[in-house]
Amino acid sequence: MWRFSVLILLFSHLAVSSSSLGDSEATCSGIVSLPNRNDRISITDFGGVGDGRTVNTKAFREAIYRIQHLKRRGGTLLYIPPGVFLTESFNLTSHMTLFLAKGAVLKAVQDIWNWPLIDPLPSYGRGRELPGARYMSFIHGDGIRDVVITGENGTIDGQGEVWWNMWRSRTLKFTRPNLIELKNSKEIIISNVVFQNSPFWNIHPVYCSDIVIHHVTILAPQDSPNTDGIDPDSSSNVCIEDSYISTGDDLVAIKSGWDEYGIAFGRPSSNITIRRITGSTPFAGIAIGSETSGGIKNIVAEHISLSNMGVGVNIKTNIGRGGYIKNIKISNVYVENARYGIKIAGDTGDHPDAYYNPNALPVVKGIHINNVWGVNVRNAGSIQGLKDSPFTGICLSEINIHGSLNTYRTWKCSDVIGTSLKVSPWPCSELRTTGGSYSCSSTF
């Protein structure tokens, strides 16, 4: 066994840093307390070898079995020392901390033929990409609580290229695995880790509550398909802060189920805060949808800095989704080099099958977007509601979106009712200008 005094010092520093933040740097990270683990083990105690060649699946499963069954008071910390630890996918258990030291790399095997399959999510009815089962995430947890994934900015590498190539060549048999998926879980902290090259979505908390994700870095090539950064899905009380994300798809995307399956499951995403996120992607920075069938409400996103983007802020749903998107507050967003500054659309996304209900129309209302500054943005914004379910309560204020010379920067709107104040370029007529004593930004 090795000495863990450095870990005690590091965890003390994290606790002090979280508690000493002043009003000038608001944080939601206190919704989950950082546990103190007195019981500590190393993956090397179970035969783990960090040479980049040895497959360590047995070591990880034995270590986690020990944590699960010995049930030490206060839980157990599993230490990953410097080195490259190759492994197949594995499950976490409750009351554990997965700690990656500086220079530690957890790397997914590229032999995918024995990758475990699991059932589709009930709110999706099938795999997100293909009917039937789906591949289990690289790091997985179902029904767990009091779990921390942290360290000294060690790396979790999904080696996703083999999966991306299968997607491109249309040889996938099942939906690709996420890098991390936590299902039916609560009291989770993910911090101070680099996530890279996910086969599919990077971090996917689904049917979860009380989740803190902060001080992480998420990386994937910009042409990597569907490598979303963080996707809270039918989850509540989620805090996402102080992170850098550069991927091939949406940086943060809030979801809540897919068409008739999401409607039947009926679990919304709610009370989610996104703060101080920086990044780049060909798709959206802050996204809501398009899978929104269980409902999405009470979302705050602020102090977002984006460059080289497809869309800065993208709220998206579709006929057949049902559900609702309401009470969304987005403020203090900087967007540079983008196709769109703001896009709210009712015609986005595909359907799981032919059985969706075309009369299941989403309700979109209470969208407040304040203090957006755009530079070299080709199109200021587009808000396209649904004829039989117009988007209402859309409020834009203090928005300045600038384009380069000879670019088209106007707004396009249809089937939308809302207000605007101090928006440049001049917004569409559906967003009537307010003035005098009333400001639509008063809700911030």
Side-chain angles (χ1 to χ4, degrees), residues 131-171:
R134 59 201 181 101
Y135 292 105
M136 190 176 90
S137 59
F138 177 48
I139 298 176
H140 194 75
D142 190 350
I144 60 176
R145 61 175 297 182
D146 180 29
V147 171
V148 180
I149 301 171
T150 191
E152 301 166 310
N153 291 315
T155 299
I156 298 176
D157 186 347
Q159 294 210 93
E161 188 170 3
V162 62
W163 298 97
W164 307 335
N165 289 338
M166 290 174 68
W167 179 87
R168 292 174 181 129
S169 64
R170 299 185 179 181
T171 56

Side-chain angles (χ1 to χ4, degrees), residues 14-331:
L14 289 172
V16 169
S17 298
S18 297
S19 63
S20 62
L21 288 171
D23 292 338
S24 62
E25 190 173 352
T27 181
C28 52
S29 60
I31 63 172
V32 181
S33 299
L34 185 67
N36 181 28
R37 313 282 195 208
N38 292 319
D39 184 49
R40 300 179 176 94
I41 58 177
S42 172
I43 195 64
T44 58
D45 301 333
F46 299 85
V49 179
D51 60 4
R53 299 185 304 275
T54 303
V55 177
N56 292 280
T57 308
K58 184 173 181 287
F60 277 97
R61 291 178 181 171
E62 287 184 356
I64 292 168
Y65 182 90
R66 186 265 196 197
I67 296 169
Q68 182 178 12
H69 290 276
L70 284 186
K71 297 182 179 178
R72 298 299 192 192
R73 184 183 180 125
T76 297
L77 183 147
L78 175 58
Y79 177 79
I80 313 300
V84 179
F85 292 84
L86 193 66
T87 178
E88 296 174 341
S89 62
F90 60 90
N91 286 282
L92 302 176
T93 190
S94 295
H95 311 297
M96 73 169 287
T97 294
L98 179 64
F99 188 99
L100 281 73
K102 182 179 180 181
V105 180
L106 289 188
K107 186 171 284 191
V109 298
Q110 291 190 297
D111 177 9
I112 66 171
W113 310 116
N114 294 319
W115 203 281
L117 289 171
I118 57 176
D119 291 335
L121 293 167
S123 58
Y124 284 73
R126 46 160 278 183
R128 184 58 185 84
E129 295 183 288
L130 292 166
R134 59 201 181 101
Y135 292 105
M136 190 176 90
S137 59
F138 177 48
I139 298 176
H140 194 75
D142 190 350
I144 60 176
R145 61 175 297 182
D146 180 29
V147 171
V148 180
I149 301 171
T150 191
E152 301 166 310
N153 291 315
T155 299
I156 298 176
D157 186 347
Q159 294 210 93
E161 188 170 3
V162 62
W163 298 97
W164 307 335
N165 289 338
M166 290 174 68
W167 179 87
R168 292 174 181 129
S169 64
R170 299 185 179 181
T171 56
L172 277 171
K173 295 183 179 179
F174 303 98
T175 296
R176 287 172 285 159
N178 303 308
L179 194 56
I180 293 181
E181 180 175 272
L182 302 174
K183 177 184 173 188
N184 298 313
S185 300
K186 60 183 179 179
E187 300 168 23
I188 308 294
I189 299 175
I190 301 175
S191 69
N192 300 98
V193 174
V194 177
F195 300 90
Q196 67 183 28
N197 299 325
S198 177
F200 194 51
W201 302 343
N202 275 268
I203 302 175
H204 185 217
V206 57
Y207 319 145
C208 290
S209 64
D210 303 317
I211 307 291
V212 174
I213 303 168
H214 63 154
H215 297 100
V216 300
T217 300
I218 303 176
L219 305 172
Q222 299 235 322
D223 64 348
S224 57
N226 311 108
T227 51
D228 295 25
I230 304 171
D231 285 7
D233 197 341
S234 291
S235 293
S236 61
N237 300 330
V238 179
C239 173
I240 301 169
E241 290 184 334
D242 300 301
S243 296
Y244 177 81
I245 308 172
S246 178
T247 63
D249 212 316
D250 298 339
L251 304 185
V252 178
I254 302 172
K255 303 175 181 293
S256 68
W258 199 12
D259 285 7
E260 67 268 30
Y261 305 105
I263 294 170
F265 194 74
R267 180 162 177 176
S269 279
S270 63
N271 302 326
I272 297 174
T273 299
I274 305 162
R275 185 183 284 126
R276 294 184 297 275
I277 300 299
T278 303
S280 174
T281 175
F283 288 86
I286 302 301
I288 295 176
S290 69
E291 303 91 339
T292 59
S293 300
I296 294 176
K297 63 181 178 179
N298 304 337
I299 310 300
V300 173
E302 59 186 9
H303 303 294
I304 311 297
S305 182
L306 307 168
S307 61
N308 301 315
M309 301 296 300
V311 184
V313 174
N314 193 7
I315 298 171
K316 46 189 176 177
T317 185
N318 206 342
I319 291 172
R321 293 288 194 264
Y324 55 81
I325 302 172
K326 62 183 181 180
N327 195 21
I328 312 298
K329 298 181 180 180
I330 300 172
S331 64

